[in-house]
Amino acid sequence: MINVQDADQPVSPLGIAESAGSESQKTLLKELDKWMTQHSDRLMASITELVTDEEALQNYKNYEQETCDSIYDRINLRYAVLKKLMQGDAFQ
């Protein structure tokens, strides 16, 4: 049985599959790692499509790199930025 952690307290960032016990746990966690990476990449692709100012986009990428310690942080930040972009008040 896999123990489910509180969503606010992830066990660890990507790479958790290596610490899993059984093969089925390893497979599940590898798929989760893969999904989170793909989701994060899709969020970034959406941001890139919406932000046409290259300087603003580069500033965002720099900020993200400096402030996000894990994939969870990147996904949260990217979602928040996309939400603001959709509302029309991002980077103001």
Side-chain angles (χ1 to χ4, degrees):
M1 178 183 225
I2 297 174
N3 292 328
V4 178
Q5 299 291 321
D6 180 14
D8 294 332
Q9 299 295 324
V11 176
S12 65
L14 293 179
I16 54 178
E18 289 78 30
S19 65
S22 71
E23 283 303 313
S24 61
Q25 286 176 328
K26 288 180 183 179
T27 300
L28 176 64
L29 293 174
K30 282 181 183 179
E31 288 300 314
L32 179 60
D33 286 350
K34 185 173 139 183
W35 179 86
M36 287 189 307
T37 299
Q38 289 173 343
H39 182 57
S40 178
D41 291 347
R42 282 191 298 267
L43 291 171
M44 189 63 197
S46 295
I47 291 170
T48 301
E49 286 179 23
L50 293 170
V51 178
T52 56
D53 181 332
E54 284 298 319
E55 185 177 354
L57 184 59
Q58 190 57 50
N59 287 338
Y60 167 76
K61 289 178 180 179
N62 292 340
Y63 174 78
E64 181 182 282
Q65 188 172 27
E66 292 170 6
T67 59
C68 295
D69 295 327
S70 71
I71 193 156
Y72 305 105
D73 294 336
R74 285 192 303 276
I75 288 171
N76 283 335
L77 181 61
R78 289 175 183 183
Y79 175 76
V81 167
L82 275 173
K83 188 174 176 183
K84 286 202 168 276
L85 286 169
M86 299 301 240
Q87 294 170 347
D89 60 356
F91 306 116
Q92 293 181 12

